[in-house]
Amino acid sequence: MNALRILQRPLRLDFKEFEGLNFAIVKTDANFAGLNLTKADGIFIENESPEVVSNIIKEVRSSEVTSVYLKPLFVKSLSIPTEIVQLTDGRVEDITMNKALQKSLEINERVKGIQADTKGLNFSESLILKTTQYIYTRQRPLVPFRNLVSKIGYSYPFLSGYISVDDHLQILDNLSEMKYQEYFKFKTVDKVNLCHECEGTYMNFREVCPSCNSLELKTENLIHHFRCAYIGPESDFKQDEDMICPKCDKLLRHIGIDYDKPSEINQCQTCNHQSQDVNMRASCIDCGHDMDLEHIANRSVQTLQITAAGEKLAIRGFGKKVAEAPTHEFKTTKNYFGWGLFKILVGQELTRLELRSHDSHFGVIQLNDEKFDFLDEKTKDVLQKEILNIVAQYLRPVDLISFKNFSTFAFLMPESNRKLASEMKDTIDYNLKKLIGDNIEMGGGRMLEVEVMTLDPDDHSVLQLLE
Amino acid sequence: MSPELEYIIPEYLRYWYSVGPDKFIRVFWYFILFELTRYIMADFVIAGWYHLFKNDRKEKWEKARAAFWNENPFVSVIIPGKNEGKHLFKLTKSLAEQTFQNFELIIVDDGSDDETPIIGRNLQKRGLIDLFLRNDMRGGKASAANLALRFSQGKYIVHLDADCSFDREAIENILIPFFMDEKIGAVGGNVKVRNADESLCARLQAIEYLKTISVGRIISSQLGIYKIISGAFGAFRADVTDSIKGWDIGPGLDGDITVKIRKSGFKTVFEPSAVCLTNAPSKFKVLTKQRLRWDKSIIRFRVRKHKDVYLPSENFRWSNFFALFENVFYNVILDITWWLYIVDLVFNFAGSLKYIIPMNITIYTIVGFMQMTSTYIYSERRKEELKLWPYVPMMSIYTGTYLRLVRSVAYIHELIWKKSYDDPWNPVKSSSQAKANGF
């Protein structure tokens, strides 16, 4: 089933809210068809069948819509095998719900900055783009994991969710294509041998006769009789229980004194060929093809990390020139949190205040939107970044800052007194006005408002402000 | 004699002219009695005989050649050795050029500690070697040759050294004698020195090989007393080597197996047209070690192990008696006699040594050139070997003094201390068994 078709034909929504985030709850792959996934902050799959779960993962990951195929995806059932769970963002039972929510928020924040999708791309370009976007949004390398079901013996998180296990060689081949090398940093974790007929990796290696490839090999020790310099297979010497030299008829009594065993010899029971060497051949378990080792195809299985070019590709796509998304640049501001997470943390601070006797303060910075309408997107991005950096300069390490959009910023000052909050308000107000006044010709009127309030544990209206 | 001529002729020649032939014979009795007869007269008598029956021999050769090609026998070429990997590829190339190709090539690596096993296995994989066998523990050359023999399938066995190269018809020519006489059990090839240009030591050996191996063996073969088939290039009937159970512990195992074949009732012959080139030691130190080993083996095998050849028995054969007697007489007995001769000279002619020594050098040089003339008659490489002629005068010191001294030391070592059993050429485990059992 095509995920794009699902989006075009929304039938029935089954959402559940967790800490202010809307999660689509998918219980069957049939029910899944009715969900409008674009509005979901994430997806919880609630089904015990690995097959159904795999189908749902495939529907999501094979979408052409960025906000769908990169959607945070969690499995709830304990009965789903690990190799399927690894295709999602985790099993909720394995990680706490809070972690899942936090993870979703972080992923969604990064997804927002992405402006490229896979429309119009061929398979290989689509695979590369999705890979860079996955690594970028999850902020972790793509690490292959062992999977017996996969034809190459390995699967990749995310990619294996929509590419069949029989076609995993395409993943290796496309990722290692020279023209895409600039986007990734590779680290080889294994090398796989593949059947040159069916490209399967499950092979049996065995020693065969170098002359006729028969498996019927008999190995014997060679015996060297020191006294007369005769040397031959052990069977030449065997007479009942004794060892008698066929050259000089002497009894061999003592290894190291009378004789030694300097090597071995193999005799083929099929063609009688004798040799110390044997040939190694491989037999494919999947297709039964028998081959010389030199005919086996070798591939590297690698962990992937994205480079700066890869990060750019994730955001802009192939050949598109768009403004760089600002979000990742705020990673340097330690106090910064994404808006969704910030909302949760403000909610948690209100709960905490019910148990503690201290005060906490909450501030909002509101830009007069209309005044900034004439600015282009790039300037707005720079201005937004400057505002965040200036505010963050005056915050304590425990304080938090976030923004909802270009015109709305908020900050939280846990365990702060009124005086500190008031000073903070004045400082921010003065500095931001100076920033704007010095750089942008705005004309008259109020360009921004800074408001700081003491949080009241009984008054949750502040949360409404954040919606 | 005119005064001018007297002035030109050296003093020592005038001396010998004035004292007359009686004194000459008295002083040079050793040379006249043993060396002139053996090396000069025999050479030319046999050469004349050889030429007399040249056409007859040629006819027999062509018949045998036709029979050989008609049968096209399967042959096993065996090469035992240690650390010979570096020579193997060149060797396979040299063998690929042979006119006769119906052979299997078996290499035995006797416990090499270099890259020989890698090279050998690689060549086997590429089909340049039919069977590569390796003993992880060194057993000595005899056991390595026996291992090759155990797995060989040919009707004839050709034993080679890995550092040799061969004339294109060498293997064909070494096998043809088997088709001339069914009593021939083994044929020796004609080993010549390839690296004569490398050093004076190698040049002198090149001349020695021409005289003793090429010509000397033609003569002993003609006389039916050929007693050493070189390990560097020799061919054996497989049934004969099986019946005598292969090689025994060396050193000197090539001479030993030749005697064993002769004692089992088969003939051994030399084939001068089966030419093999080998590298001789280029330093006197290495040469001395090699010759000490060879000379000790004469005492060990010819005097001790095969002493039954000299005694009356059911298997007594005059040809075997003469083959070994000639070898022992000309090497061991004459070596002792030479020392007696030296004592005779020192005690009886001390005042004349200034005339004796130059005359000695003169006559040995003349004899040397005469011998070179006989090698010239037999050789297929006459022109190439002409470059060795200027070094012939040095042979009187090389063979007359240096090799005699080495031989004397070897004989004393072997006769008194049986030093050949201590030679590192063989592993201790084999030598100690050979010594304990008197082999």
Side-chain angles (χ1 to χ4, degrees):
Chain A
M1 195 173 291
N2 186 303
L4 188 62
R5 196 151 50 78
I6 299 164
L7 294 171
Q8 288 167 342
R9 193 163 53 86
L11 295 172
R12 189 164 60 86
L13 300 171
D14 192 3
F15 284 109
K16 197 167 179 182
E17 192 179 321
F18 296 95
E19 303 283 350
L21 294 178
N22 276 329
F23 277 86
I25 309 298
V26 184
K27 290 182 178 172
T28 68
D29 43 355
N31 179 38
F32 175 77
L35 294 174
N36 184 348
L37 294 169
T38 49
K39 287 189 176 175
D41 290 315
I43 300 167
F44 283 142
I45 305 172
E46 290 182 358
N47 194 292
E48 300 294 320
S49 158
E51 195 188 342
V52 171
V53 172
S54 295
N55 285 342
I56 294 167
I57 294 169
K58 189 177 179 184
E59 291 291 347
V60 175
R61 298 302 193 212
S62 59
S63 165
E64 285 185 339
V65 179
T66 314
S67 61
V68 175
Y69 63 71
L70 290 174
K71 189 74 65 191
L73 194 58
F74 299 94
V75 176
K76 292 200 86 174
S77 168
L78 277 172
S79 64
I80 303 301
T82 313
E83 60 267 21
I84 294 178
V85 175
Q86 294 210 57
L87 306 177
T88 69
D89 290 295
R91 192 194 323 256
V92 178
E93 269 72 11
D94 295 341
I95 57 173
T96 63
M97 179 58 96
N98 267 353
K99 273 192 179 169
L101 298 179
Q102 190 173 330
K103 208 171 186 180
S104 302
L105 281 168
E106 287 170 4
I107 292 167
N108 288 332
E109 275 306 315
R110 292 196 178 87
V111 171
K112 276 182 198 165
I114 290 176
Q115 294 162 38
D117 60 31
T118 59
K119 282 173 194 160
L121 299 181
N122 62 31
F123 175 83
S124 124
E125 287 171 338
S126 164
L127 183 129
I128 298 298
L129 182 66
K130 281 186 168 183
T131 305
T132 56
Q133 289 176 333
Y134 176 79
I135 297 170
Y136 170 69
T137 56
R138 268 63 180 177
Q139 290 291 293
R140 64 175 187 188
L142 191 72
V143 183
F145 59 90
R146 283 193 300 279
N147 184 1
L148 278 174
V149 182
S150 163
K151 202 147 190 184
I152 61 166
Y154 279 90
S155 283
Y156 277 91
F158 181 70
L159 299 176
S160 299
Y162 74 98
I163 296 172
S164 159
V165 286
D166 291 337
D167 299 328
H168 274 25
L169 185 60
Q170 289 187 46
I171 300 179
L172 297 186
D173 287 346
N174 281 298
L175 290 178
S176 59
E177 253 190 81
M178 191 54 79
K179 61 184 175 183
Y180 301 133
Q181 297 283 300
E182 62 170 313
Y183 303 126
F184 301 106
K185 282 186 275 188
F186 299 95
K187 188 182 174 195
T188 301
V189 290
D190 202 357
K191 291 194 174 180
V192 288
N193 300 310
L194 305 174
C195 169
H196 77 103
E197 278 292 306
C198 74
E199 294 169 344
T201 194
Y202 301 107
M203 277 183 286
N204 190 22
F205 295 88
R206 62 269 203 292
E207 294 179 340
V208 297
C209 169
S211 174
C212 70
N213 289 336
S214 165
L215 291 164
E216 300 284 336
L217 289 175
K218 185 183 166 196
T219 303
E220 267 195 277
N221 282 316
L222 287 176
I223 290 185
H224 170 210
H225 188 208
F226 301 154
R227 185 180 184 275
C228 67
Y230 182 80
I231 185 163
E234 203 165 340
S235 53
D236 287 3
F237 292 79
K238 278 274 180 194
Q239 286 186 22
D240 298 324
E241 291 303 305
D242 290 331
M243 301 260 280
I244 309 285
C245 176
K247 179 174 175 179
C248 65
D249 293 329
K250 295 288 174 191
L251 179 70
L252 274 62
R253 291 177 190 278
H254 201 124
I255 192 165
I257 303 289
D258 298 331
Y259 68 97
D260 63 6
K261 296 178 177 180
S263 58
E264 291 180 337
I265 189 91
N266 305 302
Q267 174 147 16
C268 175
Q269 304 299 294
T270 307
C271 72
N272 285 326
H273 179 79
Q274 290 175 312
S275 162
Q276 284 185 318
D277 285 342
V278 288
N279 269 7
M280 284 296 291
R281 282 181 74 83
S283 167
C284 178
I285 303 289
D286 285 337
C287 72
H289 186 71
D290 193 70
M291 71 205 93
D292 282 332
L293 298 195
E294 57 258 40
H295 292 137
I296 289 175
N298 298 105
R299 292 287 194 289
S300 292
V301 178
Q302 294 165 315
T303 291
L304 281 86
Q305 183 61 280
I306 49 171
T307 60
E311 198 164 309
K312 217 172 253 184
L313 176 76
I315 296 162
R316 297 178 181 177
F318 288 101
K320 284 187 180 175
K321 294 200 185 255
V322 294
E324 201 166 307
T327 48
H328 72 282
E329 295 200 27
F330 301 137
K331 283 187 291 188
T332 51
T333 306
K334 285 179 185 172
N335 308 70
Y336 173 78
F337 288 84
W339 190 250
L341 185 59
F342 183 77
K343 283 194 291 184
I344 294 169
L345 294 172
V346 171
Q348 281 180 347
E349 185 61 18
L350 283 169
T351 312
R352 214 159 66 96
L353 287 172
E354 289 173 8
L355 305 169
R356 303 281 178 100
S357 56
H358 64 257
D359 286 333
S360 291
H361 291 84
F362 172 81
V364 177
I365 303 161
Q366 190 71 48
L367 302 188
N368 186 343
D369 227 346
E370 291 169 11
K371 294 277 182 190
F372 297 93
D373 274 350
F374 66 95
L375 297 175
D376 61 39
E377 287 300 316
K378 196 172 178 182
T379 312
K380 278 183 177 176
D381 280 346
V382 174
L383 182 62
Q384 192 178 36
K385 188 179 158 194
E386 282 296 306
I387 291 170
L388 277 169
N389 286 337
I390 286 170
V391 177
Q393 265 184 59
Y394 299 102
L395 294 175
R396 300 166 304 167
V398 294
D399 297 342
L400 319 173
I401 186 167
S402 185
F403 67 91
K404 185 180 182 181
N405 49 43
F406 170 70
S407 57
T408 308
F409 299 77
F411 57 92
L412 177 68
M413 300 172 70
E415 297 187 34
S416 54
N417 56 42
R418 191 180 296 271
K419 187 183 171 210
L420 179 70
S422 172
E423 282 172 4
M424 180 62 78
K425 176 183 180 293
D426 294 342
T427 308
I428 290 172
D429 189 66
Y430 170 77
N431 282 293
L432 293 185
K433 281 179 177 159
K434 190 168 188 320
L435 167 78
I436 294 166
D438 287 350
N439 291 288
I440 305 166
E441 214 169 299
M442 300 287 293
R446 290 182 67 83
M447 60 188 82
L448 68 95
E449 280 179 13
V450 179
E451 191 184 343
V452 176
M453 61 194 84
T454 305
L455 284 177
D456 181 357
D458 299 324
D459 181 8
H460 283 215
S461 60
V462 70
L463 292 176
Q464 287 166 2
L465 276 175
L466 294 172
E467 287 302 322
Chain B
M1 201 178 289
S2 68
E4 291 84 8
L5 198 63
E6 276 193 19
Y7 180 75
I8 293 166
I9 295 171
E11 191 186 350
Y12 78 93
L13 284 181
R14 287 202 306 274
Y15 169 83
W16 288 109
Y17 182 74
S18 63
V19 297
D22 289 351
K23 181 153 187 186
F24 183 87
I25 293 168
R26 170 64 185 89
V27 172
F28 294 106
W29 59 270
Y30 185 88
F31 166 76
I32 294 163
L33 205 57
F34 304 120
E35 299 192 320
L36 187 68
T37 48
R38 186 198 187 198
Y39 296 116
I40 301 301
M41 291 169 70
D43 272 17
F44 286 97
V45 169
I46 302 295
W49 186 30
Y50 195 77
H51 274 269
L52 206 62
F53 295 100
K54 197 175 156 188
N55 289 341
D56 187 34
R57 181 181 152 80
K58 195 179 172 188
E59 197 179 312
K60 275 175 81 179
W61 176 268
E62 287 305 326
K63 263 189 179 175
R65 189 168 182 270
F68 166 74
W69 281 112
N70 189 40
E71 184 182 327
N72 193 24
F74 185 61
V75 172
S76 298
V77 175
I78 65 169
I79 301 160
K82 185 190 174 200
N83 293 346
E84 302 283 11
K86 54 188 175 291
H87 303 299
L88 292 181
F89 182 68
K90 270 188 185 171
L91 177 77
T92 59
K93 286 285 166 200
S94 175
L95 292 176
E97 292 295 311
Q98 290 295 307
T99 51
F100 177 75
Q101 286 292 323
N102 191 25
F103 62 82
E104 60 173 353
L105 180 57
I106 303 174
I107 310 282
V108 179
D109 168 17
D110 188 27
S112 294
D113 48 19
D114 62 358
E115 291 179 340
T116 299
I118 300 165
I119 296 167
R121 297 227 157 85
N122 183 272
L123 293 174
Q124 182 179 249
K125 207 168 187 181
R126 290 166 62 186
L128 297 173
I129 292 173
D130 295 291
L131 182 58
F132 179 80
L133 297 167
R134 169 174 165 79
N135 287 332
D136 293 330
M137 286 176 277
R138 185 166 79 100
K141 187 130 184 183
S143 71
N146 286 334
L147 180 60
L149 189 63
R150 171 62 182 75
F151 291 101
S152 63
Q153 295 176 44
K155 185 177 176 184
Y156 300 98
I157 308 293
V158 176
H159 182 293
L160 310 176
D161 277 352
D163 61 347
C164 293
S165 54
F166 304 88
D167 280 5
R168 290 189 68 250
E169 294 182 334
I171 291 185
E172 177 187 338
N173 289 351
I174 205 170
L175 292 167
I176 286 174
F178 289 113
F179 292 80
M180 295 170 83
D181 183 347
E182 60 180 20
K183 287 302 285 176
I184 291 174
V187 182
N190 191 357
V191 181
K192 295 192 172 192
V193 173
R194 181 172 47 208
N195 60 333
D197 294 336
E198 217 168 89
S199 67
L200 176 65
C201 179
R203 270 183 213 112
L204 297 177
Q205 286 173 85
I207 298 172
E208 182 200 3
Y209 272 54
L210 284 180
K211 292 200 299 191
T212 59
I213 295 183
S214 300
V215 178
R217 290 181 184 179
I218 288 173
I219 291 164
S220 61
S221 186
Q222 289 293 318
L223 293 172
I225 57 170
Y226 177 54
K227 72 277 171 185
I228 182 159
I229 288 168
S230 171
F233 190 27
F236 305 86
R237 260 171 57 175
D239 57 340
V240 174
T241 44
D242 284 346
S243 69
I244 59 163
K245 311 238 169 112
W247 285 265
D248 291 345
I249 299 168
L253 66 164
D254 39 4
D256 179 50
I257 196 170
T258 315
V259 177
K260 280 170 69 181
I261 290 168
R262 293 184 64 95
K263 280 165 76 175
S264 69
F266 288 92
K267 291 180 185 173
T268 54
V269 296
F270 176 75
E271 181 42 59
S273 66
V275 178
C276 148
L277 299 180
T278 190
N279 282 339
S282 57
K283 289 180 180 164
F284 282 104
K285 194 179 170 186
V286 182
L287 176 65
T288 305
K289 274 188 180 177
Q290 184 199 58
R291 294 308 167 93
L292 282 172
R293 193 169 65 236
W294 287 6
D295 293 329
K296 277 184 273 189
S297 73
I298 289 181
I299 302 293
R300 179 162 154 187
F301 292 106
R302 305 287 156 100
V303 177
R304 290 205 188 104
K305 185 179 174 185
H306 296 295
K307 59 179 180 287
D308 57 318
V309 166
Y310 309 110
L311 306 171
S313 72
E314 267 182 32
N315 294 328
F316 181 83
R317 287 173 64 207
W318 281 108
S319 60
N320 289 345
F321 175 84
F322 279 119
L324 266 67
F325 178 75
E326 186 263 358
N327 194 219
V328 172
F329 180 78
Y330 274 96
N331 285 282
V332 184
I333 296 174
L334 286 196
D335 197 67
I336 297 165
T337 314
W338 184 77
W339 284 104
L340 296 174
Y341 170 66
I342 296 296
V343 171
D344 175 41
L345 285 184
V346 171
F347 276 90
N348 297 316
F349 304 99
S352 310
L353 285 178
K354 62 179 182 178
Y355 304 116
I356 294 171
I357 292 170
M359 178 49 86
N360 183 286
I361 292 171
T362 305
I363 58 174
Y364 276 98
T365 302
I366 292 166
V367 167
F369 279 114
M370 288 172 78
Q371 281 184 297
M372 284 305 277
T373 308
S374 72
T375 66
Y376 186 83
I377 293 168
Y378 291 114
S379 183
E380 76 295 328
R381 284 174 164 78
R382 292 168 187 174
K383 284 187 181 170
E384 295 158 45
E385 286 156 5
L386 279 175
K387 65 185 175 190
L388 297 171
W389 285 57
Y391 298 91
V392 170
M394 300 181 81
M395 290 303 285
S396 66
I397 295 170
Y398 173 74
T399 51
T401 309
Y402 163 71
L403 287 183
R404 270 207 179 98
L405 283 173
V406 172
R407 211 179 294 148
S408 301
V409 171
Y411 295 159
I412 292 165
H413 278 179
E414 187 59 24
L415 282 165
I416 301 173
W417 296 291
K418 295 186 177 177
K419 282 277 186 182
S420 68
Y421 295 104
D422 302 332
D423 197 310
W425 193 78
N426 259 339
V428 176
K429 62 188 179 188
S430 299
S431 292
S432 59
Q433 285 281 342
K435 193 174 185 178
N437 291 286
F439 298 147

